[in-house]
Amino acid sequence: MEKRLNHMEYLPDMEQINPEIRNKVINAYKCYNQNKYTEKDVQNALKADVLAPHDFGSLLSPAALPFLEQIAKRAREKKRQFFGDNIYVFTPIYISNYCENYCVYCGFNCHNKIRRAKLDYDAIEKEMQAISKTGLEEILILTGESRNMSDVQYIGKACEIAKKYFKMVGIEVYPMNSNEYEYLHKCGVDYVTVFQETYNSDKYETLHLAGHKRIFPYRIEAQERALMGGMRGVAFAALLGLDDFRKDAFATGMHAYLLQRKYPHAEISISCPRLRPIINNDKINPKDVHERQLLQVMCAYRLFLPFANITISTRERAEFRDNVINICATKISAGVSTGIGGHTDEAEQGDDQFEIADTRNVDEVLQAICERGLQPVMNDYVYV
Amino acid sequence: MNKDVFKLGGHEFTSRFVLGSGKYSLDLIDAAIKHAKAQIITLALRRANSETDNILDYIPEGITLLPNTSGARTAEEAVRIAKLARACGCGNFVKVEIMRDSKYLLPDNTETIKATEILANDGFVVMPYMYPDLNVARDLANVGASCIMPLAAPIGSNKGLATRDFIKILIDEIDLPIIVDAGIGRPSQACEAMEMGCAAVMANTAIATAGNIPQMAEAFGKAIEAGRTAYLAGLGRVLDSGAAASSPLTGFLAD
């Protein structure tokens, strides 16, 4: 049997930073007891102007579910206070799906026999041109997690190309050291997204069997290293349904909360993915996170971190997305393709990471935003 | 009676309402301006940095643009954003906003003084957003600010004049116009700020979160006007003990 890496030990060349936040987040995960909260706790949380972690915990608990309508109304008030009618629109672009990790739930994992591809710089430029013609001004560049096939220089060059066409460039790639984030920042990137997937380190070990991603502490500290490297904002997410979603949501919120306290200037975003059908793997099915629970989590994030952006995934159906941007979400993707080279007329070079539920193009999403009396915003950012 | 004119940066305004534009539908900006009778509108340069649906295209001619430096975390970044705004044709007014805190968006007074000095020396009409502190306000005045813009309450909170006493000190001690910015939630609060002697009021969230945006803009415009008129008229006295004695204590004095 293949010998697995110790998932709690850094590999050589992995930067080690002060573990204070990591330890606090892991402790928050372990201590969160969703069954201790009462109806009274939920009512108190709904009355609070500024929520403490205890209030956040109560809003995520089963006791809060019967109050979902009141919670949604309160979330809507807070969203309007902090963001008004603005809804930010962006799209992701996948430039490579090579991956060295073995994550049992993922369509891109190294053992899945899918078509692998990596866009060369000309192809990246064509994709960027095609996307920018839709009017979008914010882009999120994604790769599979392979340092060999998509090294930091390759990602940097892709970002420099993106900067020619977009005002705002973010990345969702493998975690790296702070000096590498600093390099990418100079290439025009200001936002870094890293999904922790689950904050349960034991469960994490069983789901991430090989590759750098297996190293739990290096991943959980990625956002802090990104801020140390000069990035303006960082995004967090647990893949809800991998483990107990309430505990993972609590840890995600606490992770963002603690990091913002240490780095007050940091702009915080949270994504809310659930597991969706994936290629060659139907072993895991997120039966426990239904739309009702997902909305509960999103509203709890909104009330605990009212200043944070919340992104709603294309994994969700159009009607759900259109409704949550009127309640708690502030950011929506449009015209999404999760394959490699999916934005030009040329044939897609690589398979998709996951199936999307909302296939609307940019114009259709913009129209849906306006129909709800909201204001689509393509850019609210300047690189300085 | 002389016409009451608000002078700022070599311009004269008859309206004392600085209208925000950041949180509501672009289609409503024109109506809000007209209903409010506003002559100055703020906009985030980062919003005017869009090529698809540019906020500048929605602002009618004749309105003075007041670009702000939101997004700046340091004086250096604020200066760069201000220069970018001027290069984009937004004029030479700039509202300096420097925040190193993404949660409460409280202004960084130290960096604000630095940016104000650099920009004032570069010919900008600098309107610094600040936490109401007399020493800082004096420093801002000394380095060339055109007015002082203290916050009334945390931005977007609609909590009203939470810093009332400190704003009053600025009104009493600083010779520049004091423009209350951030936190004003109701027309009555805007009116009170004007009654106190503020030169103008800036509001955004209170209007953006109202049921009818143009109507609320109008209500603010009228309240600001009423408050100004009351200030000019001189407010009547308020007695702490509830009434004035009809027989004065000094009535016995003979010569």
Side-chain angles (χ1 to χ4, degrees):
Chain A
M1 190 182 149
E2 188 185 344
K3 187 174 182 303
R4 306 275 181 215
L5 292 167
N6 180 343
H7 71 295
M8 295 304 285
E9 264 182 29
Y10 294 89
L11 296 174
D13 300 328
M14 284 184 169
E15 181 182 6
Q16 296 187 39
I17 61 173
N18 184 333
E20 186 187 3
I21 288 183
R22 186 221 320 163
N23 291 338
K24 283 183 178 173
V25 173
I26 293 171
N27 191 48
Y29 176 90
K30 286 180 178 163
C31 295
Y32 179 66
N33 176 6
Q34 57 196 267
N35 297 318
K36 77 174 184 185
Y37 297 98
T38 64
E39 193 177 297
K40 184 76 183 160
D41 291 322
V42 177
Q43 285 168 339
N44 286 339
L46 278 170
K47 276 187 260 170
D49 188 32
V50 176
L51 269 65
H54 175 83
D55 298 312
F56 176 49
S58 74
L59 292 180
L60 285 171
S61 73
L65 207 49
F67 295 87
L68 189 56
E69 185 63 27
Q70 290 103 303
I71 293 170
K73 282 180 178 153
R74 186 84 177 112
R76 186 163 181 263
E77 275 173 31
K78 277 285 171 192
K79 184 177 92 78
R80 294 196 76 200
Q81 179 189 333
F82 280 78
F83 294 90
D85 291 335
N86 295 345
I87 299 294
Y88 304 103
V89 188
F90 76 104
T91 207
I93 174 174
Y94 289 72
I95 59 171
S96 169
N97 65 1
Y98 287 94
C99 195
E100 290 155 13
N101 294 324
Y102 182 16
C103 312
V104 297
Y105 53 87
C106 178
F108 276 1
N109 88 48
C110 63
H111 293 303
N112 263 1
K113 290 182 174 47
I114 61 166
R115 279 186 307 152
R116 301 285 173 177
K118 168 188 170 183
L119 297 181
D120 61 25
Y121 298 133
D122 282 345
I124 291 173
E125 185 120 20
K126 281 182 187 159
E127 287 275 300
M128 299 290 179
Q129 281 171 347
I131 297 167
S132 72
K133 280 183 187 156
T134 65
L136 290 171
E137 296 184 3
E138 177 182 344
I139 197 148
L140 177 66
I141 295 174
L142 294 97
T143 65
E145 299 199 4
S146 169
R147 272 186 181 262
N148 288 322
M149 293 305 291
S150 45
D151 61 22
V152 175
Q153 281 66 35
Y154 168 73
I155 296 168
K157 178 71 181 165
C159 294
E160 284 173 349
I161 295 170
K163 200 73 186 126
K164 291 196 286 182
Y165 299 95
F166 298 93
K167 305 281 187 195
M168 188 168 163
V169 179
I171 51 168
E172 187 176 334
V173 300
Y174 49 83
M176 52 187 72
N177 291 345
S178 59
N179 61 339
E180 294 169 314
Y181 284 122
E182 191 178 345
Y183 166 74
L184 292 179
H185 177 60
K186 286 179 184 148
C187 295
V189 182
D190 239 347
Y191 296 88
V192 171
T193 299
V194 179
F195 286 11
Q196 184 58 35
E197 320 296 13
T198 177
Y199 286 84
N200 178 348
S201 59
D202 293 341
K203 182 79 175 187
Y204 188 94
E205 183 192 9
T206 67
L207 295 171
H208 305 94
L209 302 181
H212 280 206
K213 188 169 175 179
R214 182 165 167 80
I215 309 306
F216 182 86
Y218 189 66
R219 194 170 189 87
I220 206 172
E221 289 166 352
Q223 284 92 348
E224 184 164 1
R225 292 194 303 274
L227 293 171
M228 290 163 65
M231 294 291 176
R232 176 181 286 265
V234 284
F236 304 78
L239 181 47
L240 302 172
L242 274 184
D243 192 48
D244 183 326
F245 77 91
R246 295 183 198 279
K247 288 181 75 110
D248 266 333
F250 185 72
T252 305
M254 288 303 295
H255 193 181
Y257 169 81
L258 291 165
L259 210 58
Q260 195 274 336
R261 284 174 81 90
K262 184 168 178 183
Y263 300 88
H265 65 277
E267 292 179 14
I268 302 295
S269 293
I270 299 189
S271 297
C272 310
R274 289 188 288 169
L275 280 174
R276 301 295 294 180
I278 51 173
I279 299 172
N280 300 344
N281 192 339
D282 57 0
K283 289 176 194 162
I284 301 170
N285 195 1
K287 284 179 182 167
D288 53 351
V289 192
H290 302 282
E291 285 188 351
R292 202 170 160 75
Q293 284 79 12
L294 181 58
L295 179 62
Q296 181 189 4
V297 169
M298 293 177 74
C299 288
Y301 286 153
R302 168 58 56 226
L303 292 171
F304 184 48
L305 305 165
F307 53 90
N309 264 307
I310 296 178
T311 304
I312 180 65
S313 166
T314 41
R315 291 172 166 102
E316 303 305 330
R317 63 194 175 96
E319 191 187 357
F320 182 85
R321 300 180 92 213
D322 291 352
N323 276 285
V324 295
I325 58 171
N326 208 20
I327 299 170
C328 48
T330 50
K331 202 161 181 177
I332 189 165
S333 49
V336 173
S337 163
T338 64
I340 309 301
H343 292 281
T344 52
D345 293 335
E346 292 163 31
E348 234 179 53
Q349 297 177 31
D351 280 334
D352 294 7
Q353 187 183 23
F354 54 84
E355 292 172 18
I356 59 176
D358 183 358
T359 56
R360 290 176 297 177
N361 64 27
V362 175
D363 285 341
E364 289 167 333
V365 170
L366 295 182
Q367 192 185 338
I369 295 170
C370 292
E371 279 169 5
R372 299 206 168 250
L374 299 169
Q375 175 63 47
V377 176
M378 297 302 204
N379 180 52
D380 190 12
Y381 162 78
V382 56
Y383 183 84
V384 283
Chain B
M1 195 172 109
N2 289 336
K3 193 178 170 194
D4 179 38
V5 175
F6 174 38
K7 292 180 184 173
L8 192 68
H11 289 62
E12 291 190 348
F13 303 97
T14 51
S15 164
R16 292 171 178 270
F17 185 10
V18 181
L19 181 65
S21 64
K23 290 183 175 173
Y24 52 94
S25 173
L26 296 174
D27 294 331
L28 290 170
I29 287 178
D30 187 49
I33 289 172
K34 283 180 180 143
H35 280 72
K37 295 183 181 160
Q39 295 168 315
I40 304 174
I41 187 158
T42 64
L43 72 155
L45 187 269
R46 56 190 192 179
R47 281 293 297 280
N49 191 29
S50 174
E51 281 157 23
T52 320
D53 208 9
N54 195 320
I55 195 168
L56 287 171
D57 298 334
Y58 291 81
I59 298 172
E61 279 185 32
I63 299 296
T64 298
L65 295 175
L66 177 53
N68 68 45
T69 62
S70 64
R73 296 159 292 186
T74 62
E76 190 189 349
E77 289 182 356
V79 168
R80 270 146 66 187
I81 292 172
K83 288 182 176 175
L84 195 56
R86 187 161 66 181
C88 290
C90 292
N92 65 339
F93 278 71
V94 65
K95 182 180 161 211
V96 173
E97 286 187 20
I98 302 175
M99 290 114 164
R100 285 189 298 146
D101 176 274
S102 65
K103 187 172 185 177
Y104 298 102
L105 299 176
L106 293 174
D108 181 322
N109 281 355
T110 308
E111 292 293 307
T112 301
I113 297 168
K114 285 187 213 163
T116 298
E117 180 167 20
I118 295 167
L119 292 169
N121 288 335
D122 197 14
F124 282 90
V125 177
V126 187
M127 303 171 67
Y129 168 57
M130 52 93 77
Y131 194 88
D133 177 301
L134 178 59
N135 295 307
V136 172
R138 283 181 176 137
D139 288 344
L140 288 167
N142 288 336
V143 298
S146 297
C147 65
I148 304 292
M149 300 186 78
L151 61 85
I155 197 165
S157 67
N158 287 354
K159 287 186 173 172
L161 288 163
T163 59
R164 178 188 289 101
D165 291 352
F166 303 99
I167 290 174
K168 185 70 172 73
I169 290 171
L170 301 189
I171 292 168
D172 292 342
E173 302 300 327
I174 302 291
D175 290 333
L176 296 173
I178 305 298
I179 303 176
V180 167
D181 183 5
I184 295 289
R186 294 162 180 265
S188 54
Q189 294 157 353
C191 184
E192 186 186 351
M194 295 304 294
E195 286 171 359
M196 282 165 57
C198 288
V201 167
M202 146 97 210
N204 185 14
T205 306
I207 290 160
T209 55
N212 183 319
I213 288 170
Q215 203 170 13
M216 186 55 80
E218 183 179 347
F220 263 88
K222 286 176 174 169
I224 288 165
E225 225 176 289
R228 178 66 184 174
T229 308
Y231 172 74
L232 293 175
L235 290 172
R237 58 183 185 158
V238 177
L239 296 172
D240 288 340
S241 55
S246 53
S247 305
L249 292 175
T250 52
F252 65 93
L253 298 172
D255 56 21

